[in-house]
Amino acid sequence: MIINKEIKIKIPEKFSAEYIEAELKKFDFDVLRWTITNHDEVYYTLNLSIVID
């Protein structure tokens, strides 16, 4: 099954997709896609499509 989930990660000093991918690995999700949907001074809000069993 595929579901959508929102998470927050800290904003790095220098943005890169590699940083986002490394942070997502910490959650141990099977991520199909991600997008940044919002942010504040400290966090990005990401919307993920993930595969669950």
Side-chain angles (χ1 to χ4, degrees), residues 5-7 24-32 48-52:
K5 183 171 188 69
E6 282 196 344
I7 63 167
L24 291 176
K25 284 185 181 185
K26 293 177 184 178
F27 289 94
D28 198 30
F29 293 141
D30 184 4
V31 178
L32 296 174
L48 313 173
S49 289
I50 61 174
V51 178
I52 60 170

Side-chain angles (χ1 to χ4, degrees), residues 3-9 11 13-14 19-23 27 29-30 32 37-39 41-42 46-48 50:
I3 64 167
N4 288 328
K5 183 171 188 69
E6 282 196 344
I7 63 167
K8 289 188 177 189
I9 62 171
I11 296 175
E13 286 187 28
K14 183 178 177 187
Y19 170 77
I20 303 289
E21 296 287 338
E23 289 296 304
F27 289 94
F29 293 141
D30 184 4
L32 296 174
T37 57
N38 203 354
H39 65 87
E41 298 82 31
V42 180
L46 278 69
N47 184 283
L48 313 173
I50 61 174

